[in-house]
Amino acid sequence: MKKTLLLLLLSNFCLAQTKETKETKETEETKESRVIKVYTPTTSAKYQSDNSYKWAVKTDLFSFISGEFPIIGEYRVSKKISVEASVAATYSFYENFSILGDEEEDSYTTFETKSAMGSAFRAGFKFYPSSDYDAIEGWAFGIQLFKRTNNRDYSDDDYSGFDLSSLKDQRTKTGIALTISKQVFWDSNITFEYLIGLGIAKINHDYAIIDYNNDTNTQYLREISFEKTVPNLQLGCRIGFGN
């Protein structure tokens, strides 16, 4: 009888221990499944970087005033650096005024011209120093190379029988500039940018004149090619979209 009672007590103790172990294991698994994962600062920064803007396509409203109609593309190549390039059609609303001295200009006759199409190209890179944004947002400092050609056709009027059909009044500006800009993005991925550029440019001006030969007392057609280096100022007000 004593042996039977001892066996029953031992069996009950073993069952109680097994049940307690099972309940403890289930409680630990439940707690583990409810743990909230907290992302580290490194993970958060990577997430933000991967979701920052990587490219933008825009145009420059200020350029319209001077007869340049550009399409500008900007692409982020690293966390703080982007490359930018543009191609444009130009339409010379204004005369390509000569850059010779007044005394020299008084010695010959120029031809009347009319507006014509030309082209412009710009390329460079930008550095975005802000710690709050990655390129291509915020303030930026850059270097820009540019070439712009303004053409004007000679009118159809008869200038004493001179044939001007193969000639153009062409003014080309080639140079380099340092730029400062600020770009922001609005809702619907609209981008807006202000820009100012200061640099130096070489101007080449090719045009035709009527000159006078004192030896023969006759007029003749002469082509002039003149160049000059001048300071260059660029102002930009750009709008477009990006992603």
Side-chain angles (χ1 to χ4, degrees), residues 194-220:
Y194 290 108
L195 179 142
I196 182 171
L198 296 173
I200 191 168
K202 183 176 71 174
I203 296 178
N204 292 85
H205 192 186
D206 300 324
Y207 58 103
I209 64 170
I210 297 177
D211 209 343
Y212 188 78
N213 190 324
N214 292 321
D215 296 331
T216 60
N217 294 324
T218 58
Q219 292 181 325
Y220 67 99

Side-chain angles (χ1 to χ4, degrees), residues 119-130:
S119 60
F121 303 94
R122 301 178 188 270
F125 70 89
K126 295 179 181 177
F127 171 69
Y128 290 80
S130 173

